[in-house]
Amino acid sequence: MSFNTFGHLFRVTTWGESHGPALGCTVDGCPPGVAVDEASIQQWLDLRKPGTSKYVTQRREPDQVRILSGVFEGQTTGTPIQLMIENTDQRSKDYGEIKNQFRPGHADYTYFTKYGIRDYRGGGRSSARETAARVAAGGIARAVLAEMLPGARVRGALVQMGERHVDRERWDWDQVSQNPFWCPDPVAATEWETYLDGIRKDHDSVGAVVEVVATGIPAGLGAPVYAKLDTDLAAAMMSINAVKGVEIGDGFASAALRGSDNADEIRMGDDLVEWTVQSAGVTESGVYTAEISRTDGRIERCYLEAHQVEFVCENSDGSVTVHLLRDELERRKVENRGLDIIRSGEPVFGSNHAGGILGGISSGQDLVVRFAVKPTSSILTPRQSIDRFGKEVEIVTKGRHDPCVGIRAVPVGEAMAACVILDHLLLHRGQVGENRGVLG
């Protein structure tokens, strides 16, 4: 077994090497009729590609994706989708001096002991360049989720670089796209620039922690034993290159809590809330959006599928579901008048220490997963190692490498989360259809 495939129903097989002519993936199990084109996938690849700032590898790869099969006239056909990304800026000569040497911290030695082959060109199959294919597959998963779960969103951020943490009191998702570190804290982002410059000048590298949050995910996804949602999320994140630890929710910090603190208390939501539509519109995909203000002063953004009669509201407390007549929405969103919406009486959690998963099954809260990425092993600082002939050597790894590989791991983590969530959504609907347990 080569184990190049992950997923149960939504299955992704990646192929290719870092310095080969191309790499890519085959996505199987994608529902038919989903709007997909190369541009919709490319937007995610552009976030991961190298050379986007001085803080990442300067390898210049456009990471241009090509759809070879499974899509016809802008829609998925239900057959395997083949995606290809050509490698255009390989410099295999950079690795010539270490052709027979094992780089400390890399998979060189273990790869050789398993296969008896040494692909010294950037690590071959074990290179992090393979993750470009995962991001492409994640683009497909996001497109399907957009149709099956309007309002669902998967976002990632860098929350720690080396010993430097973000201040969660300053967390602002809008800041993530405003700096080269995917950092939600503008103050920390500025500090990290100086910090990482110093690391680079020392010919060294540093690790990081990435946090991925998925909102608008319904309760019921997963299973209580071997197909737990958190099991598959953890495995997906752990499969990313250089990842050495994964936690869900509070994770290891839960060990320091008492049961009275850790248990996420539950109560029922209000039965009736006054809302005022501030603005509204319809997206190109046919989803109604509205910004509304509540009587308690909170501002929330809502989404409504054209063929449904329910909003999925995203707010600071997590996602809740409210119901209204669509004809009433059509009238009120134009008139911008007050709107009474009856909430469905769904439970509201007082906290989210569990990261949105209880007993392996989603609770309807935000899914929260974090993973730790070790420092890049390819550095210019001399290190001791051996070669394939058993001789002790000193190694300096030349070439173009990330001083903090965790930076470009953020869109990879998002893609893996999207793939796992879609996979479990398909599994859930295939087994039980809609949720069986109904309150009241």
Side-chain angles (χ1 to χ4, degrees), residues 288-342:
Y288 293 112
T289 66
E291 280 195 1
I292 56 179
S293 62
R294 293 169 46 118
T295 50
D296 57 11
R298 286 195 311 226
I299 301 295
E300 303 179 355
R301 178 171 292 279
C302 298
Y303 305 84
L304 176 66
E305 277 194 286
H307 63 277
Q308 291 182 336
V309 291
E310 73 172 9
F311 266 113
V312 177
C313 299
E314 177 188 357
N315 56 59
S316 59
D317 297 328
S319 294
V320 296
T321 303
V322 295
H323 295 267
L324 72 163
L325 296 176
R326 192 177 60 185
D327 290 342
E328 182 72 355
L329 172 67
E330 289 285 351
R331 182 171 66 85
R332 296 297 180 92
K333 77 186 179 76
V334 174
E335 297 178 2
N336 197 30
R337 294 170 52 185
L339 183 64
D340 293 340
I341 300 178
I342 301 176

Side-chain angles (χ1 to χ4, degrees), residues 243-267:
V243 172
K244 301 302 290 184
V246 179
E247 62 180 11
I248 307 293
D250 282 1
F252 286 97
S254 300
L257 299 177
R258 294 192 177 191
S260 54
D261 298 319
N262 183 66
D264 299 316
E265 295 184 309
I266 313 173
R267 59 184 177 82

Side-chain angles (χ1 to χ4, degrees), residues 5 8 12 24 71 86 155-156 179-180 193 198 240 254 258 321 346 351 360 376-377 380 400 406 409 417 433 435:
T5 302
H8 302 283
V12 178
V71 177
E86 293 187 59
R155 295 182 287 189
N179 61 77
E193 290 185 15
I240 300 171
S254 300
R258 294 192 177 191
T321 303
E346 292 194 355
S351 56
T376 313
S377 298
L380 291 173
R400 301 158 295 174
N435 287 357

Side-chain angles (χ1 to χ4, degrees), residues 210-230:
V210 174
E211 181 170 314
V212 178
V213 180
T215 57
I217 308 303
L221 306 189
V225 187
Y226 297 115
K228 292 183 177 182
L229 179 58
D230 43 1

Side-chain angles (χ1 to χ4, degrees), residues 102-103 106-114 386:
F102 302 123
R103 296 167 297 173
H106 277 278
D108 296 349
Y109 172 69
T110 53
Y111 196 105
F112 177 75
T113 58
K114 181 176 181 66
I386 59 174

Side-chain angles (χ1 to χ4, degrees), residues 25-100:
C25 64
T26 303
V27 178
D28 202 3
C30 179
V34 177
V36 169
D37 58 19
E38 292 175 350
S40 66
I41 302 172
Q42 191 65 47
Q43 62 177 319
W44 307 113
L45 282 165
D46 287 345
L47 299 176
R48 191 221 70 100
K49 71 181 182 181
T52 55
S53 78
K54 69 177 183 178
Y55 301 105
V56 299
T57 174
Q58 294 306 294
R59 178 171 174 171
R60 298 291 178 178
E61 291 284 1
D63 281 357
Q64 195 68 43
V65 67
R66 290 180 57 194
I67 300 176
L68 303 183
S69 68
V71 177
F72 179 68
E73 294 185 342
Q75 289 190 320
T76 58
T77 62
T79 59
I81 301 172
Q82 185 81 347
L83 304 175
M84 183 179 74
I85 303 166
E86 293 187 59
N87 293 321
T88 62
D89 190 25
Q90 312 97 312
R91 293 185 187 175
S92 300
K93 61 182 178 61
D94 288 344
Y95 299 89
E97 295 182 11
I98 60 170
K99 179 178 180 180
N100 295 311

